[in-house]
Amino acid sequence: QVQVVETGGGLVQAGGSLRLSCAVAGGTFSRFTVGWFRQAPGKEREFVAAIRSSRHTYYGDSVKGRFTISRDNAKYTVSLEMNSLRPEDTAVYYCAADTGIILSSIGNHRHYDYWGQGTQVTVSS
């Protein structure tokens, strides 16, 4: 049984920073690809960032240069450092994990089996 738990959301002013954490319990953490997705009201779930077991990282176009994803295999956690936040970054942020995700599917939320409950990030203008 794999469990995924996100922490670290909150309210921040535009231009500020937040750090989200994702803890993954169960399975072999070092083998997981872990991704962050977000969903704003009335919008589709959007790919934010992902990190593979190789530590290669991938980012959605809207967050490149502002967000950084990293992993700590010893602590079974993945972090998302979010800088220069904008009001349009406001959404529920979800962490997802799975193994065997091919590169062409890494940004597709349908290919991840294990999900957290989500954490709200609100950026005020």
Side-chain angles (χ1 to χ4, degrees), residues 9-125:
L11 173 65
V12 65
Q13 287 189 330
S17 299
L18 275 177
R19 185 181 181 91
L20 305 183
S21 290
C22 172
V24 181
T28 303
F29 179 79
S30 60
R31 295 182 180 177
F32 282 116
T33 292
V34 179
W36 285 96
F37 296 82
R38 66 186 183 187
Q39 190 163 18
K43 293 191 175 181
E44 295 284 325
R45 192 160 294 193
E46 178 189 15
F47 171 66
V48 175
I51 186 166
R52 302 188 81 176
S53 58
S54 62
R55 297 183 185 273
H56 285 113
T57 58
Y58 307 87
Y59 296 93
D61 288 341
S62 62
V63 306
K64 282 180 183 176
R66 300 189 296 126
F67 290 12
T68 302
I69 190 171
S70 60
R71 68 189 295 155
D72 186 336
N73 287 347
K75 296 182 179 179
Y76 309 129
T77 60
V78 168
S79 297
L80 183 69
E81 186 73 33
M82 306 186 294
N83 298 315
S84 302
L85 283 162
R86 305 166 180 167
E88 53 264 39
D89 293 319
T90 296
V92 177
Y93 282 69
Y94 297 92
C95 181
D98 213 325
T99 57
I101 297 180
I102 61 175
L103 185 56
S104 60
S105 299
I106 204 164
N108 188 334
H109 62 88
R110 296 176 181 84
H111 289 265
Y112 292 77
D113 280 344
Y114 308 109
W115 289 83
Q117 78 288 352
T119 185
Q120 177 71 44
V121 171
T122 302
V123 184
S124 63
S125 57

